[in-house]
Amino acid sequence: MITAKKKYVLFTAYLSLLIGACMVSPDMPPNPFEMSKSIQIPIADSGLVNSLPASHIVSLHQRVFSPTCANSGCHDGSFEPDFRTVESTYNTLVYQEVIKNNPQGSFQYRVDPFHPERSVLWERLTHDIDGQSGLMPLVVESGSEWEQNKDSLLQAIHDWIASGAPDMFGNTPITEALPPSVRGAIGIIASERDPIRREGGNGKMLISPGTQRLELYLSLQADISPANQISSVKLRLSKDRNDFHSASGDAVQVIPSPIVSYGFTGELEEFYHHITIPLDTLVLGDYQYFRVYIQVEGQNELIEIPGDGSADYMKEMFAFEIYD
């Protein structure tokens, strides 16, 4: 049986083979996403996280995991957990097997959602797990606020785990599987090769007046299903950022070969899902939000991304405006 950890490693290894490749199905336009990494601004660096609660995983990554734990030779990708990005932090913590346990073998997961006391992350931050390893973090470098705000940061980590360890869109894991996620959304216009510019790098898409249609590509991930086998996906449009109840859903198609481009966190992703959105009725100043609805095979729960509880700036990432 392939565990979540093994699948993440396999996915990462496979993705690394695709860097620089332009893989497009025969009936798709040439890959328009040959861009520099600087075009996509990682969420944690976008300056838009100040409104998030302290216990949000994006806030925790910016304030704790990145400046305090992703130090050279520590959790910088040298070994797991990998705290370099929000995604790697989440995927190498939640429901991931413990490497170093206490002498009693009490802990099964690094983060056990809803159970801080059963999470080895919490144990290592608050106790010397075996009497000789010391408390984490072992070294606090300049730029970290850990020493000044340790109590409040610990409380934020505790609250995140206790609330179910939700991902950056507010979804909690389904049993021991990580919730499906949208790792990137990129749009192009048929007459152009370059991706549509986003406001501030990761904000809403800015589309020129008179554009007839938007080709939208999504990068999806589900812990219990390969990306190209996530077939039950719909997209809804609304002019209201928070009201999608009356919006009809249109099916998103899976393309045979993925487009490889940069996602929300600035890392290369595979974009297997595509939908064409008509724009001919929109005029200058019109604003459209969209949400993605994923039904994972064997699960009854319908995952909505972003959800009502997602931060406003995340909802802006799933939006476009007719803009001059």
Side-chain angles (χ1 to χ4, degrees):
M1 180 177 178
I2 300 178
T3 65
K5 175 182 175 182
K6 289 179 179 177
K7 281 187 284 187
Y8 177 82
V9 173
L10 289 172
F11 174 82
T12 304
Y14 175 62
L15 191 58
S16 67
L17 297 176
L18 302 175
I19 294 176
C22 299
M23 300 186 300
V24 188
S25 63
D27 56 345
M28 287 289 149
N31 182 1
F33 305 132
E34 297 174 355
M35 67 183 90
S36 80
K37 192 168 182 176
S38 62
I39 292 178
Q40 291 292 331
I41 299 177
I43 290 173
D45 296 331
S46 65
L48 299 174
V49 300
N50 294 333
S51 62
L52 293 176
S55 58
H56 195 286
I57 183 60
V58 174
S59 180
L60 289 175
H61 180 262
Q62 185 187 47
R63 299 181 63 195
V64 182
F65 297 125
S66 179
T68 309
C69 308
N71 300 321
S72 177
C74 292
H75 298 282
D76 61 346
S78 302
F79 53 85
E80 294 189 359
D82 180 354
F83 293 139
R84 288 175 295 177
T85 69
V86 176
E87 287 284 352
S88 67
T89 297
Y90 191 84
N91 289 335
T92 58
L93 280 179
V94 179
Y95 280 133
Q96 299 305 301
E97 296 177 1
V98 171
I99 295 176
K100 177 176 284 189
N101 216 323
N102 64 1
Q104 296 77 33
S106 306
F107 300 95
Q108 183 176 3
Y109 301 118
R110 296 170 190 166
V111 167
D112 190 343
F114 299 106
H115 303 287
E117 73 286 351
R118 297 196 328 220
S119 301
V120 80
L121 171 67
W122 179 250
E123 181 72 6
R124 299 220 62 185
L125 289 169
T126 56
H127 297 88
D128 186 342
I129 196 167
D130 56 8
Q132 57 186 0
S133 297
L135 292 179
M136 289 292 179
L138 296 177
V139 177
V140 178
E141 296 187 1
S142 60
S144 170
E145 60 177 290
W146 183 259
E147 296 295 352
Q148 300 94 316
N149 300 309
K150 179 178 178 179
D151 290 343
S152 62
L153 294 174
L154 279 172
Q155 186 63 52
I157 294 171
H158 183 279
D159 292 347
W160 171 63
I161 301 174
S163 64
D167 66 9
M168 63 181 177
F169 295 109
N171 295 312
T172 54
I174 303 171
T175 62
E176 295 186 10
L178 303 183
S181 64
V182 179
R183 300 172 65 90
I186 301 177
I188 64 170
I189 300 171
S191 61
E192 299 181 8
R193 291 183 58 86
D194 295 327
I196 293 173
R197 180 171 63 92
R198 283 183 174 273
E199 186 177 60
N202 242 343
K204 61 189 175 185
M205 300 180 192
L206 302 175
I207 302 176
S208 301
T211 303
Q212 296 298 302
R213 65 182 185 273
L214 167 67
E215 304 296 336
L216 182 68
Y217 295 86
L218 302 171
S219 176
L220 309 183
Q221 181 178 350
D223 188 53
I224 59 177
S225 179
N228 62 347
Q229 294 181 23
I230 306 174
S231 57
S232 183
V233 182
K234 289 188 175 182
L235 184 137
R236 294 181 184 177
L237 293 169
S238 174
K239 291 187 177 181
D240 189 322
R241 179 168 59 189
N242 298 309
D243 185 7
F244 283 76
H245 298 95
S246 60
S248 60
D250 294 316
V252 177
Q253 304 300 318
V254 180
I255 60 177
S257 298
I259 288 171
V260 177
S261 185
Y262 294 104
F264 291 137
T265 61
E267 296 198 4
L268 283 169
E269 308 290 355
E270 292 178 306
F271 290 75
Y272 271 107
H273 293 78
H274 166 260
I275 186 171
T276 299
I277 301 175
L279 303 176
D280 52 303
T281 62
L282 301 181
V283 298
L284 184 66
D286 278 353
Y287 215 112
Q288 289 280 323
Y289 292 88
F290 61 91
R291 290 189 183 181
V292 182
Y293 297 81
I294 306 173
Q295 183 85 51
V296 178
E297 184 177 357
Q299 301 288 341
N300 294 324
E301 185 176 0
L302 183 67
I303 302 298
E304 179 186 53
I305 303 173
D308 290 341
S310 296
D312 285 346
Y313 88 82
M314 291 184 178
K315 295 173 184 176
E316 292 292 313
M317 292 157 55
F318 291 76
F320 56 87
E321 180 185 6
I322 305 301
Y323 180 88
D324 193 358

